[in-house]
């Protein structure tokens, strides 16, 4: 791919509750077309075929831990699935193996479907899939631990131990992105939206 094309695709990433979505909103106003990998995952998990695969894979592990990953109507309980997999590295890897190839395919399609446009891939673990190589730059949004903890608790309403488990699973996130060889710009989201906008633009 030519350098001109590479420069038009940016990976926006960072740990949980650092402010990626706020950053995405700012960049969208400056002309970027954005796709959120978390929303893409939710869309995939809402599809019957993928729900069936996930339930078949994780229900035995959930039963052992006393966690219900299936709702009374037979649908997947994503919150309980998260509580199960984020405390076990092997289970997290199993979930990624099921879902990430399809995420990669859909992000590739988004890029190909918008030729000549400035593209923003909003994703936490984009370094794990091949589409990362389409990016010319990585913007890594970060914030202090206590700030992130407060934001996550207020936003998601899940137990603190679950939040901390997710934080721990992302402890090497910046290092993993630096290993890609793609330029990384670290943006600290510690103040107002105006401050964040100034840092980004």
């Amino acid at each position: 791919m030519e350098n001109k094309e590479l420069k038009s695709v940016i990976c926006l990433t960072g740990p949980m509750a650092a402010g990626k979505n706020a950053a995405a909103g700012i960049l969208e106003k400056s002309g970027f077309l954005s796709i959120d990998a978390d929303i893409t995952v939710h869309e995939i998990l809402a599809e019957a075929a993928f729900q069936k695969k996930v339930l078949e894979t994780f229900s035995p592990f959930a039963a052992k831990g006393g966690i219900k990953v299936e709702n009374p109507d037979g649908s997947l309980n994503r919150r309980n699935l998260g509580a199960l997999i984020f405390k076990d590295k092997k289970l997290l890897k199993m979930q990624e193996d099921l879902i990430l190839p399809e995420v990669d395919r859909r992000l590739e399609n988004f890029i190909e479907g918008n030729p000549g446009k400035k593209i923003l891939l909003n994703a936490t673990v984009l370094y794990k899939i091949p589409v990362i190589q389409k990016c010319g730059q990585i913007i890594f949004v970060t914030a202090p631990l206590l700030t992130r903890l407060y934001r996550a608790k207020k936003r998601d309403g899940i137990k603190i131990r679950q939040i901390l488990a997710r934080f721990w699973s992302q402890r090497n996130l910046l290092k993993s992105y630096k290993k890609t060889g793609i330029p990384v710009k670290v943006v600290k989201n510690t103040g107002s939206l105006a401050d964040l906008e100034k840092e980004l633009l």
Side-chain angles (χ1 to χ4, degrees), residues 9-109:
V9 183
I10 288 178
C11 167
L12 176 66
T13 190
M16 180 182 183
K20 294 188 299 298
N21 290 341
I26 291 167
L27 291 170
E28 285 169 1
K29 288 179 182 177
S30 74
F32 279 87
L33 290 180
S34 174
I35 182 168
D36 188 323
D38 285 343
I39 292 175
T40 302
V41 169
H42 293 166
E43 291 171 350
I44 293 169
L45 289 175
E47 296 173 6
F50 277 96
Q51 282 205 18
K52 183 179 179 182
K53 286 181 184 179
V54 171
L55 288 170
E56 287 175 351
T57 302
F58 294 103
S59 289
F61 298 101
K64 289 180 182 178
I67 298 173
K68 293 183 179 180
V69 292
E70 186 174 359
N71 293 318
D73 64 358
S75 62
L76 177 68
N77 188 311
R78 293 199 305 267
R79 179 171 291 187
N80 287 353
L81 176 66
L84 175 70
I85 66 173
F86 280 104
K87 63 182 181 181
D88 189 316
K89 191 182 295 185
K90 290 182 180 178
L91 294 183
L92 180 59
K93 177 67 165 56
M94 288 170 64
Q95 193 248 17
E96 289 175 345
D97 289 345
L98 277 175
I99 303 298
L100 289 185
E102 180 63 14
V103 173
D104 184 71
R105 187 185 71 81
R106 295 188 188 197
L107 296 187
E108 288 271 6
N109 287 346

